[in-house]
Amino acid sequence: MAEGGAVRTVSWCSIAAQHPMEGWATWGVGVDVTAQRRAEEALRDSEQLYRSLVETTSEGYWLVGPDGRTLGTNHALREMLGYAHGELVGRSPAEFASPEGRECVARSISSMVQEPHRGYETMFRAKDGRDVHVRVSASTLVDHAGSVRGSFALLT
């Protein structure tokens, strides 16, 4: 326990075998990792909140990598189109567009860098063959260094 009663997390490593010290049966090095542990917990909490929001929203969520292939979807999108997660991942969303909407969806994916925020209406073909009219709101995902990581679209 630290001064003032604060609890600290310390990572210990015994180095007695590598560096024997006369008169010491064992000894080691301790590093205070309290801040690191708190940051890891905050990150886990943030990720859980994000996942909860994405999975419980009524809009379909489609995450696409920079190569134009599906990285992930949420329950609402899978329910809307009738596909399982594994049937969508690794494939282009354009493959699931109706024949009339395929070119529009493919163009949207390929232009995600030039038009980072765009909205349009199109049709997707559900697994059962019915056409689903959707309003797509697509945005480019950029990391902290400014590199394009992909895009995501909300379908309503």
Side-chain angles (χ1 to χ4, degrees), residues 59-76:
E59 287 86 16
Y61 179 91
W62 209 318
L63 179 62
V64 180
D67 64 355
R69 296 180 188 277
T70 301
L71 297 174
T73 61
N74 70 348
H75 177 77

Side-chain angles (χ1 to χ4, degrees), residues 111-119 137-142 150-152:
S111 68
M112 70 178 138
V113 176
Q114 293 83 14
E115 300 177 57
H117 303 283
R118 65 180 280 160
S137 176
S139 295
T140 303
L141 296 174
V142 179
S151 67
F152 73 91

